[in-house]
Amino acid sequence: MTPSAGPDPVRAARKYRERAAGYDASARRTLELRHRTIDLLRLQAGDRVLDVACGTGLSFPRLREEVGERGVVVGVDVSADMVALAERRIAVSGWANVRACTAALESAALDGPYDALLFNYTHDVLQSPCALANILSHARPGARVALAGIKHPPAWLWPLRAWRIAKARPYVTTLRGLDVPWALILPSLEAFEMRSVMLGTNYLASARVRVSTPGEKA
Ligand SMILES: C[S@@+](CC[C@H](N)C(=O)[O-])C[C@H]1O[C@@H](n2cnc3c(N)ncnc32)[C@H](O)[C@@H]1O
């Protein structure tokens, strides 16, 4: 992966073919952070929530619990191997209102509008202007947004930056944007709040989809 290469959904699907089986075990360390992201969405019973790049559906149990039987949880991911595991989770739990679809978010038919958007560890998608435009066009104005993911620690922690890159490589197709991973989505958001966690190697953020267009006064 060259440092300047952009995100590539085809390569992501290929990468996760090898990663899918061991993915849940590898994500154990950040599971608590994923739950905190969901809490930031302040979901209500009946909400429709989009789990962006849902992977194996690690966030589904908490999302389903929050939106209840009347709500809807839709997960979309480009990796058929990850989605197969998400579908198995849905089947085992017997949820009628949770579904997972295999598609690149750049072109997925998203069936909005959504009340809430979850971005749990979706670095590639956050670096894809096409994917973000598609997702945001299916969000209700004012929809709640929560994000968690990887980022570079501050420059003075430079040895950790090399570690960050090495740990990220197996899970992303682009290393672009690690300093400010939310930079591309930021103009479409308001009330953005971000907190660095885990020595600045991860972040947790919340916002709302902007009601006014960027440049206009909210
Ligand atoms: C680190 S995993 C995160 C999965 C899940 N959100 C979680 O919290 O465990 C990143 C996921 O992004 C998916 N992905 C990458 N690029 C994508 C794209 N353009 N469209 C849809 N999914 C994408 C990958 O297939 C992978 O499952």
Side-chain angles (χ1 to χ4, degrees):
M1 191 189 317
T2 59
S4 59
D8 179 344
V10 175
R11 274 185 50 226
R14 213 179 301 138
K15 227 175 223 283
Y16 279 90
R17 190 165 302 154
E18 293 157 26
R19 297 262 145 215
Y23 184 79
D24 286 4
S26 73
R28 217 171 280 142
R29 205 173 55 91
T30 47
L31 203 54
E32 165 62 21
L33 195 59
R34 280 163 222 262
H35 288 163
R36 280 167 65 193
T37 326
I38 297 170
D39 291 346
L40 287 174
L41 284 177
R42 286 180 284 107
L43 291 168
Q44 291 166 14
D47 273 349
R48 290 172 53 84
V49 57
L50 178 65
D51 186 353
V52 172
C54 63
T56 62
L58 272 179
S59 298
F60 285 175
R62 188 79 156 226
L63 291 173
R64 171 61 173 74
E65 194 181 312
E66 302 279 323
V67 304
E69 282 182 8
R70 289 187 299 111
V72 174
V73 177
V74 176
V76 178
D77 198 288
V78 74
S79 161
D81 301 85
M82 297 289 267
V83 169
L85 296 175
E87 282 172 338
R88 192 188 301 168
R89 199 186 295 273
I90 294 169
V92 167
S93 303
W95 297 314
N97 55 343
V98 181
R99 67 175 197 275
C101 322
T102 304
L105 280 148
E106 284 79 353
S107 54
L110 289 178
D111 189 24
Y114 290 96
D115 303 300
L117 304 175
L118 177 69
F119 293 80
N120 250 343
Y121 288 86
T122 62
H123 183 74
D124 276 2
V125 174
L126 286 172
Q127 306 314 311
S128 167
C130 290
L132 292 178
N134 189 24
I135 293 163
L136 290 163
S137 73
H138 289 272
R140 193 171 55 66
R144 297 179 301 282
V145 182
L147 311 92
I150 54 167
K151 73 172 190 63
H152 266 321
W156 61 270
L157 279 173
W158 58 267
L160 264 186
R161 290 169 83 92
W163 173 89
R164 173 71 287 164
I165 289 173
K167 292 292 276 186
R169 265 183 201 280
Y171 299 99
V172 300
T173 66
T174 183
L175 295 169
R176 273 191 202 165
L178 278 172
D179 279 308
V180 190
W182 51 86
L184 295 183
I185 196 173
L186 193 57
S188 305
L189 303 179
E190 55 194 19
F192 180 80
E193 286 180 27
M194 190 282 297
R195 184 170 347 146
S196 284
V197 292
M198 300 160 98
L199 292 174
T201 61
N202 286 251
Y203 66 93
L204 193 58
S206 64
R208 286 181 175 274
V209 171
R210 192 175 274 283
V211 175
S212 54
T213 55
E216 235 176 65
K217 278 210 159 142

